[in-house]
Amino acid sequence: MSDYRVPLETTRYDGDPERVAIILPGVRYTPAAPLLHYARAVLLARGWTVQEIWWGDAPNQGRGEWVRQHALTALARENAEELLLVGKSLGTLAAPVAAERGLPAVWLTPLLTEPAVVDALTRASRPRLLVGGTADPLWHPDAARRTGADLLEVPGADHGMEVDADPVRSVEILREVTVAMERFVGGLAGRV
């Protein structure tokens, strides 16, 4: 069993101390990778403080609880009035935390094959953006639509939100995702 008390490696970018976003990476998709890099850029441009989580290898068993405990540890470090979760793939296993805590969230390539993730996305009361591609075997369009979340579904994009052997289209997709995150974050003010 993993020790959740092990200190998380984090990077912090200071902005408004009353608005803090926590970025939860994927298995081998760190906060430096394109989707999360631009999530951070969007948040910083909007004045948010950003706490990036850098975790090591997740355990093979109990990944959901492992991510949950790390998300709760990161949240416990904050006392901001407004909190936002941003997760990529493995990080989307924190969707139950967002639902329980009433937090808005951006979920990049959510694990829609995980019933706990789909359930949490569906019962969440705060705004959430789901981003996925039709070539991603972990993206299920019907499940995504049933959540009631804001959606960006990109035809032909894989789990990395890229198109194999088409780097120009992959960069265009990165732009689409960044624009969607910009709109979502910009629209949080005034949304219930």
Side-chain angles (χ1 to χ4, degrees):
M1 174 160 263
S2 293
D3 185 353
Y4 305 123
R5 295 165 299 180
V6 173
L8 291 176
E9 183 178 338
T10 63
T11 304
R12 186 176 193 84
Y13 299 88
D14 289 323
D16 181 349
E18 291 304 317
R19 294 183 303 150
V20 176
I22 297 169
I23 294 181
L24 303 161
V27 172
R28 285 178 292 280
Y29 201 95
T30 72
L35 294 169
L36 295 178
H37 168 83
Y38 283 101
R40 179 186 73 230
V42 164
L43 290 158
L44 292 174
R46 290 282 182 169
W48 287 69
T49 291
V50 177
Q51 180 190 157
E52 293 177 333
I53 305 305
W54 296 73
W55 51 41
D57 294 334
N60 290 328
Q61 300 287 324
R63 284 182 170 195
E65 185 60 20
W66 185 83
V67 170
R68 174 186 177 75
Q69 290 303 321
H70 285 307
L72 290 172
T73 298
L75 286 166
R77 294 176 174 173
E78 304 299 341
N79 58 7
E81 186 174 309
E82 193 171 357
L83 296 164
L84 169 72
L85 294 182
V86 178
K88 165 72 171 97
S89 188
L90 179 70
T92 69
L93 290 174
V97 173
E100 292 159 12
R101 297 279 180 107
L103 302 176
V106 174
W107 301 120
L108 305 167
T109 66
L111 302 180
L112 297 179
T113 55
E114 295 287 331
V117 171
V118 175
D119 175 64
L121 295 172
T122 303
R123 65 184 165 84
S125 61
R126 294 296 309 277
R128 58 235 177 265
L129 171 64
L130 308 184
V131 175
T134 60
D136 179 357
L138 303 176
W139 176 260
H140 293 267
D142 291 339
R145 281 188 271 289
R146 282 194 306 270
T147 68
D150 295 344
L151 297 179
L152 173 61
E153 181 177 85
V154 180
D158 63 17
H159 193 63
M161 293 306 294
E162 297 181 7
V163 175
D164 193 32
D166 192 344
V168 173
R169 178 63 185 131
S170 297
V171 170
E172 291 169 349
I173 292 169
L174 179 59
R175 183 183 187 286
E176 289 175 41
V177 174
T178 304
V179 168
M181 290 188 292
E182 170 71 23
R183 286 186 184 138
F184 180 81
V185 172
L188 282 178
R191 283 181 79 178
V192 178

